[in-house]
Amino acid sequence: MFVAKSIAADHKDLIHDVSYDFHGRRMATCSSDQSVKVWDKGDDGEWRCTASWKTHSGSVWRVTWAHPEFGQVLASCSFDRTAAVWEEIVGESNDKQRGQSHWFVLPFSSRAHPPMIAVGSDDSNVTYSGKVQIYEYNENTRKYAKAETLMTVTDPVHDITFAPNLGRSFHVLAIATKDVRIFKLVPLRRESANSSGPTKFEVQVMAQFDSHNSQVWRVSWNITSTLLASSGDDGCVRLWKANYMDNWKCTGILRGDGSPVNGSGHAAALSAVGVPGAAQMLVGATSAGRKKAQLMPG
């Protein structure tokens, strides 16, 4: 059983998303007031706002953290149809604002694998397919270019998240629509080593589940990308895991009140596997806005 605790976020409009970092000690919120706030958990267990800034010219629908090996990096996306990537810079010892953190739009440095952003739309227009777009960062142009469109995703997208890569040669992407879908993105070999265009991918559907029997609003991976949690309008969080043959199955169900379904033991599984924000998914099964973005650093 988890205990809910309210925080006075001081946003001036609706809050659309809450995201925890890798360790669960930092939290980011975003709102229709066009701002993002960063919160740090103190030794006393209290959450304190350590940064707040205006990010877009429209409502901010989604915010997500990169893996800490890339520093303190956030991605946000907005109703203004833009996505932005932010990096935290802490004042140096000779700085007048020593020890204070500041967030700036990030120009990525060159890496072996370019950073990517997956963007999904919950536009209910059925006249076009492919509501998930994959963008890749180009170091030469310092811009993101579209690399792939998931044409099989035609339903409104409520949430989207990359699995931690952990050195794999491919990427795994989970999507929340009217069901749960897991995609495998395998980079194809470039025709030329000097090619400056975005990477092309072979897109494979690894799994698709409609067990919620309702709209799915959130999906979240554990830190080893071996377990996926999803929450839906059925008021439950469901845990999905692949066996040694890469077949995905439901391994646990938790009701919105924290009680397990079909026996005990599943409630403890949420904290044991390290699913970030699992408790928030229990109470956050509501629509969160027009566009969702998930950052995958290189």
Side-chain angles (χ1 to χ4, degrees), residues 248-281:
W248 288 80
K249 294 183 178 180
C250 183
T251 61
I253 306 173
L254 194 66
R255 293 191 183 97
D257 60 3
S259 61
V261 178
N262 297 330
S264 61
H266 297 315
L270 284 173
S271 59
V273 298
V275 178
Q280 279 62 40
M281 291 198 299

Short mmCIF file of all heavy atoms in Angstrom, two decimals, residues 248-281:
data_model
loop_
_atom_site.label_atom_id
_atom_site.label_comp_id
_atom_site.label_asym_id
_atom_site.label_seq_id
_atom_site.Cartn_x
_atom_site.Cartn_y
_atom_site.Cartn_z
N TRP A 248 6.13 -11.57 -24.60
CA TRP A 248 5.73 -10.71 -23.50
C TRP A 248 4.43 -11.19 -22.88
O TRP A 248 3.48 -11.53 -23.58
CB TRP A 248 5.57 -9.27 -24.00
CG TRP A 248 6.86 -8.61 -24.32
CD1 TRP A 248 7.61 -8.75 -25.45
CD2 TRP A 248 7.59 -7.72 -23.46
NE1 TRP A 248 8.74 -8.00 -25.37
CE2 TRP A 248 8.78 -7.34 -24.18
CE3 TRP A 248 7.37 -7.20 -22.20
CZ2 TRP A 248 9.71 -6.48 -23.63
CZ3 TRP A 248 8.29 -6.32 -21.66
CH2 TRP A 248 9.46 -5.97 -22.38
N LYS A 249 4.40 -11.19 -21.53
CA LYS A 249 3.21 -11.60 -20.80
C LYS A 249 3.01 -10.71 -19.59
O LYS A 249 3.96 -10.10 -19.09
CB LYS A 249 3.33 -13.06 -20.35
CG LYS A 249 3.36 -14.07 -21.50
CD LYS A 249 3.40 -15.49 -20.96
CE LYS A 249 3.38 -16.50 -22.12
NZ LYS A 249 3.43 -17.90 -21.62
N CYS A 250 1.75 -10.66 -19.10
CA CYS A 250 1.44 -9.89 -17.89
C CYS A 250 1.91 -10.67 -16.67
O CYS A 250 1.58 -11.85 -16.50
CB CYS A 250 -0.06 -9.64 -17.80
SG CYS A 250 -0.56 -8.64 -16.39
N THR A 251 2.71 -10.03 -15.81
CA THR A 251 3.24 -10.70 -14.63
C THR A 251 2.66 -10.15 -13.33
O THR A 251 2.97 -10.68 -12.25
CB THR A 251 4.77 -10.56 -14.57
OG1 THR A 251 5.12 -9.16 -14.49
CG2 THR A 251 5.42 -11.16 -15.81
N GLY A 252 1.84 -9.13 -13.39
CA GLY A 252 1.26 -8.58 -12.17
C GLY A 252 0.24 -7.50 -12.46
O GLY A 252 0.34 -6.81 -13.47
N ILE A 253 -0.75 -7.38 -11.59
CA ILE A 253 -1.80 -6.37 -11.72
C ILE A 253 -2.00 -5.72 -10.36
O ILE A 253 -2.04 -6.40 -9.34
CB ILE A 253 -3.13 -6.98 -12.20
CG1 ILE A 253 -2.94 -7.79 -13.49
CG2 ILE A 253 -4.18 -5.89 -12.43
CD1 ILE A 253 -4.18 -8.56 -13.93
N LEU A 254 -2.13 -4.39 -10.36
CA LEU A 254 -2.34 -3.65 -9.12
C LEU A 254 -3.50 -2.68 -9.32
O LEU A 254 -3.52 -1.93 -10.29
CB LEU A 254 -1.08 -2.87 -8.75
CG LEU A 254 -0.98 -2.29 -7.34
CD1 LEU A 254 -0.90 -3.41 -6.31
CD2 LEU A 254 0.23 -1.39 -7.23
N ARG A 255 -4.47 -2.74 -8.39
CA ARG A 255 -5.61 -1.82 -8.47
C ARG A 255 -5.19 -0.41 -8.06
O ARG A 255 -4.17 -0.21 -7.43
CB ARG A 255 -6.73 -2.31 -7.56
CG ARG A 255 -7.38 -3.61 -8.00
CD ARG A 255 -8.66 -3.85 -7.20
NE ARG A 255 -9.28 -5.13 -7.55
CZ ARG A 255 -9.11 -6.24 -6.86
NH1 ARG A 255 -8.33 -6.23 -5.79
NH2 ARG A 255 -9.72 -7.35 -7.23
N GLY A 256 -6.06 0.55 -8.39
CA GLY A 256 -5.78 1.94 -8.07
C GLY A 256 -5.69 2.24 -6.60
O GLY A 256 -5.07 3.23 -6.20
N ASP A 257 -6.30 1.40 -5.75
CA ASP A 257 -6.22 1.63 -4.32
C ASP A 257 -5.00 0.98 -3.69
O ASP A 257 -4.82 1.00 -2.47
CB ASP A 257 -7.49 1.12 -3.62
CG ASP A 257 -7.70 -0.38 -3.82
OD1 ASP A 257 -6.84 -1.03 -4.45
OD2 ASP A 257 -8.73 -0.89 -3.34
N GLY A 258 -4.12 0.40 -4.54
CA GLY A 258 -2.90 -0.20 -4.04
C GLY A 258 -3.00 -1.68 -3.75
O GLY A 258 -1.99 -2.32 -3.45
N SER A 259 -4.19 -2.27 -3.83
CA SER A 259 -4.35 -3.68 -3.51
C SER A 259 -4.04 -4.54 -4.73
O SER A 259 -4.37 -4.18 -5.86
CB SER A 259 -5.78 -3.96 -3.03
OG SER A 259 -6.71 -3.65 -4.06
N PRO A 260 -3.40 -5.70 -4.54
CA PRO A 260 -3.07 -6.58 -5.66
C PRO A 260 -4.29 -7.32 -6.16
O PRO A 260 -5.30 -7.44 -5.47
CB PRO A 260 -2.04 -7.55 -5.06
CG PRO A 260 -2.39 -7.59 -3.61
CD PRO A 260 -2.88 -6.21 -3.26
N VAL A 261 -4.22 -7.82 -7.38
CA VAL A 261 -5.29 -8.58 -8.00
C VAL A 261 -4.82 -10.02 -8.15
O VAL A 261 -3.67 -10.29 -8.49
CB VAL A 261 -5.65 -8.00 -9.38
CG1 VAL A 261 -6.75 -8.83 -10.05
CG2 VAL A 261 -6.10 -6.56 -9.24
N ASN A 262 -5.72 -10.97 -7.90
CA ASN A 262 -5.41 -12.40 -8.06
C ASN A 262 -4.25 -12.84 -7.18
O ASN A 262 -3.25 -13.37 -7.67
CB ASN A 262 -5.12 -12.74 -9.52
CG ASN A 262 -6.33 -12.50 -10.40
OD1 ASN A 262 -7.47 -12.62 -9.95
ND2 ASN A 262 -6.09 -12.13 -11.66
N GLY A 263 -4.34 -12.55 -5.88
CA GLY A 263 -3.29 -13.00 -4.98
C GLY A 263 -2.39 -11.86 -4.55
O GLY A 263 -2.45 -10.76 -5.06
N SER A 264 -1.51 -12.13 -3.61
CA SER A 264 -0.61 -11.10 -3.07
C SER A 264 0.73 -11.18 -3.76
O SER A 264 1.03 -12.12 -4.46
CB SER A 264 -0.44 -11.31 -1.56
OG SER A 264 0.13 -12.58 -1.32
N GLY A 265 1.53 -10.15 -3.49
CA GLY A 265 2.90 -10.16 -3.99
C GLY A 265 3.14 -9.15 -5.08
O GLY A 265 4.27 -8.71 -5.27
N HIS A 266 2.09 -8.76 -5.81
CA HIS A 266 2.31 -7.83 -6.92
C HIS A 266 2.56 -6.42 -6.44
O HIS A 266 3.25 -5.65 -7.09
CB HIS A 266 1.10 -7.85 -7.87
CG HIS A 266 0.88 -9.17 -8.52
ND1 HIS A 266 1.91 -9.90 -9.06
CD2 HIS A 266 -0.26 -9.90 -8.71
CE1 HIS A 266 1.41 -11.03 -9.56
NE2 HIS A 266 0.12 -11.07 -9.35
N ALA A 267 2.00 -6.03 -5.31
CA ALA A 267 2.21 -4.67 -4.81
C ALA A 267 3.67 -4.41 -4.54
O ALA A 267 4.21 -3.35 -4.86
CB ALA A 267 1.39 -4.45 -3.54
N ALA A 268 4.38 -5.39 -3.96
CA ALA A 268 5.79 -5.22 -3.66
C ALA A 268 6.64 -5.19 -4.91
O ALA A 268 7.72 -4.63 -4.93
CB ALA A 268 6.26 -6.35 -2.76
N ALA A 269 6.11 -5.78 -6.00
CA ALA A 269 6.90 -5.86 -7.23
C ALA A 269 7.18 -4.50 -7.80
O ALA A 269 8.21 -4.27 -8.43
CB ALA A 269 6.18 -6.73 -8.26
N LEU A 270 6.29 -3.53 -7.59
CA LEU A 270 6.48 -2.21 -8.17
C LEU A 270 7.74 -1.54 -7.65
O LEU A 270 8.51 -0.98 -8.43
CB LEU A 270 5.26 -1.33 -7.86
CG LEU A 270 4.02 -1.62 -8.70
CD1 LEU A 270 2.85 -0.80 -8.17
CD2 LEU A 270 4.25 -1.35 -10.16
N SER A 271 7.98 -1.60 -6.36
CA SER A 271 9.17 -0.97 -5.81
C SER A 271 10.40 -1.84 -6.00
O SER A 271 11.50 -1.35 -6.15
CB SER A 271 8.97 -0.69 -4.31
OG SER A 271 8.71 -1.89 -3.62
N ALA A 272 10.20 -3.15 -6.04
CA ALA A 272 11.33 -4.05 -6.16
C ALA A 272 12.01 -3.95 -7.51
O ALA A 272 13.22 -4.03 -7.63
CB ALA A 272 10.88 -5.50 -5.92
N VAL A 273 11.20 -3.73 -8.57
CA VAL A 273 11.79 -3.68 -9.90
C VAL A 273 12.22 -2.27 -10.26
O VAL A 273 12.86 -2.05 -11.29
CB VAL A 273 10.80 -4.19 -10.96
CG1 VAL A 273 10.47 -5.64 -10.70
CG2 VAL A 273 9.53 -3.35 -10.99
N GLY A 274 11.87 -1.28 -9.45
CA GLY A 274 12.33 0.08 -9.68
C GLY A 274 11.62 0.80 -10.79
O GLY A 274 12.22 1.54 -11.56
N VAL A 275 10.30 0.58 -10.94
CA VAL A 275 9.55 1.30 -11.96
C VAL A 275 9.34 2.73 -11.48
O VAL A 275 8.66 2.96 -10.49
CB VAL A 275 8.18 0.64 -12.21
CG1 VAL A 275 7.40 1.43 -13.23
CG2 VAL A 275 8.38 -0.80 -12.68
N PRO A 276 9.96 3.73 -12.15
CA PRO A 276 9.83 5.11 -11.68
C PRO A 276 8.42 5.64 -11.88
O PRO A 276 7.82 5.44 -12.93
CB PRO A 276 10.84 5.87 -12.56
CG PRO A 276 10.95 5.06 -13.79
CD PRO A 276 10.77 3.62 -13.36
N GLY A 277 7.89 6.31 -10.86
CA GLY A 277 6.60 6.95 -11.01
C GLY A 277 5.43 5.98 -11.05
O GLY A 277 4.36 6.33 -11.53
N ALA A 278 5.60 4.74 -10.56
CA ALA A 278 4.53 3.76 -10.64
C ALA A 278 3.31 4.22 -9.86
O ALA A 278 2.17 4.07 -10.30
CB ALA A 278 5.01 2.41 -10.14
N ALA A 279 3.53 4.77 -8.68
CA ALA A 279 2.40 5.24 -7.87
C ALA A 279 1.68 6.37 -8.57
O ALA A 279 0.46 6.49 -8.49
CB ALA A 279 2.89 5.69 -6.50
N GLN A 280 2.43 7.22 -9.27
CA GLN A 280 1.79 8.34 -9.97
C GLN A 280 0.93 7.83 -11.11
O GLN A 280 -0.08 8.43 -11.45
CB GLN A 280 2.85 9.30 -10.51
CG GLN A 280 3.38 10.26 -9.47
CD GLN A 280 4.06 9.54 -8.33
OE1 GLN A 280 4.77 8.58 -8.56
NE2 GLN A 280 3.85 9.98 -7.12
N MET A 281 1.33 6.70 -11.74
CA MET A 281 0.52 6.16 -12.82
C MET A 281 -0.82 5.67 -12.28
O MET A 281 -1.82 5.67 -12.97
CB MET A 281 1.24 5.02 -13.52
CG MET A 281 2.43 5.46 -14.33
SD MET A 281 2.92 4.26 -15.52
CE MET A 281 3.33 2.89 -14.46
#
